[in-house]
Structure formats: structure tokens, C-alpha cells
Amino acid sequence: MSCLFCRIIAGEIPATKVFEDDELIAFNDINPQAPMHVLIVPRQHVATLNDLESGHDSLVGSMIRRAAAIASERGFADSGYRTVFNCNAAAGQTVFHVHLHVLGGRTLTWPPG
Ligand code: AMP
Ligand code: ZN
């Protein structure tokens, strides 16, 4: 198995998990870009946003709602936080297993680089 996030899901590579259920896991990013930097990852391997199909709609909804729940637990619901899906090279995607970044705890600038 070559996919890094599939290996984390399988327990072959350690990660600091902050949530898991039957369809998702969430863990701290190893190179955090903000005081909160969590990755929300479906257990199912889907390489990029371009590969999502209508059958994934519920899963993607769960990812986004989990991001909101984690941000709320950390006290960022009202002050604000950012969610990001990078898709392919120009956006900086480096791990080709769909994941949602959840960033908070500092003022995030716009536009992003
Ligand atoms: P992206 O650039 O959108 O594909 O995001 C991939 C993210 O995975 C980056 O923010 C990396 O810091 C993060 N990452 C890479 N390896 C690990 C790891 N072993 N554990 C946790 N996060 C990782
Ligand atoms: Zn994978």
C-alpha cells in the first residue's frame, strides 16, 4: 500500500488522531500551519476532488460537518477558522488521498499564496 493516508488509516504509520468513526479519521497535521491544523480524511481512498462522485456526497458532507464540530470544540466557531481542499499540483496537493484541512487559532490572511 503506497498511499500515506491509507497507511495511517491502517495503523502502519502513527498519527495523533483527534476523531474517528466508521467513515472518517481526523488527525493533527505533522507540519502545522496554524495552532489548530487538523486533517479530516475519509477511510475510503479517493485521490482528488476530481474523483468524487455523487455517491460520495454524504461522505463529503460528513467531512465538512466534522470540521465545524472540531473547530467548535476548540472554541473557534465564532472567532473563525478555515477549511481547505487542495486539488492537484497547482494548489499544492502533495498527498493524493482526499483530505480537508481545518486551520484556526491565528488570523488567516486572504488571498492565500
Ligand atoms: P496537501 O498538501 O493538501 O496534500 O496536504 C498534505 C498534508 O499532509 C500536509 O499539510 C502535510 O504536512 C501533511 N502530512 C504529511 N505527512 C503527514 C503525516 N505523516 N502525518 C500527518 N500529516 C502529514
Ligand atoms: Zn489512500
Side-chain angles (χ1 to χ4, degrees), residues 6 12-13 16 19 22 44 85 102 113:
C6 283
E12 295 175 9
I13 293 175
T16 305
F19 176 83
D22 58 351
Q44 181 184 357
F85 284 105
V102 191

Side-chain angles (χ1 to χ4, degrees), residues 32-106:
Q33 301 303 307
M36 172 181 70
H37 188 169
V38 171
L39 302 175
I40 298 179
V41 182
R43 291 186 184 276
Q44 181 184 357
H45 180 91
V46 178
T48 80
L49 237 57
N50 296 336
D51 302 302
L52 290 169
E53 299 172 351
S54 60
H56 296 119
D57 287 357
S58 171
L59 176 63
V60 174
S62 296
M63 292 172 70
I64 294 169
R65 282 177 38 76
R66 183 53 50 191
I70 290 171
S72 181
E73 286 166 8
R74 311 286 179 93
F76 301 129
D78 293 334
S79 56
Y81 59 96
R82 183 168 293 167
T83 54
V84 176
F85 284 105
N86 291 322
C87 183
N88 279 334
Q93 185 175 5
T94 58
V95 179
F96 288 85
H97 179 136
V98 163
H99 51 280
L100 180 57
H101 295 257
V102 191
L103 300 134
R106 67 172 172 85

Side-chain angles (χ1 to χ4, degrees), residues 25-37:
I25 73 167
F27 51 87
N28 289 332
D29 196 294
I30 203 167
N31 182 24
Q33 301 303 307
M36 172 181 70
H37 188 169

